[in-house]
Amino acid sequence: TLLEALKILAENSRFDWHISFVGLSESPDYMAAVNMKIDELGIREKIAFIGPSDDVTTFLESASVGVLS
């Protein structure tokens, strides 16, 4: 998964990076599972949940890498 790949990146990268998730999940259960996985992997400090945005383009333009789902 993306989160597991981020764990590998956190363990092996010399770069200071972070990831922002823009958008909203309709499922509280899904978000609870995502947050539990983030904590399990120990990558909480690298992740920000932005929430819904009408201006996703701005986030993508400022990113070095973008992942759409």
Side-chain angles (χ1 to χ4, degrees):
T1 68
L2 176 60
L3 295 176
E4 290 164 338
L6 293 173
K7 170 68 173 176
I8 293 167
L9 185 62
E11 293 174 338
N12 297 295
S13 177
R14 67 178 197 265
F15 301 105
D16 185 24
W17 60 270
H18 69 276
I19 186 167
S20 298
F21 289 96
V22 180
L24 180 66
S25 172
E26 299 282 328
S27 170
D29 291 339
Y30 176 76
M31 287 307 300
V34 168
N35 278 295
M36 189 167 33
K37 186 68 171 178
I38 289 168
D39 290 336
E40 175 187 314
L41 294 171
I43 55 174
R44 171 71 57 196
E45 70 281 353
K46 297 289 193 182
I47 296 177
F49 288 100
I50 305 301
S53 174
D54 292 330
D55 193 18
V56 175
T57 302
T58 298
F59 290 98
L60 291 173
E61 287 174 347
S62 67
S64 298
V65 175
V67 177
L68 300 175
S69 173

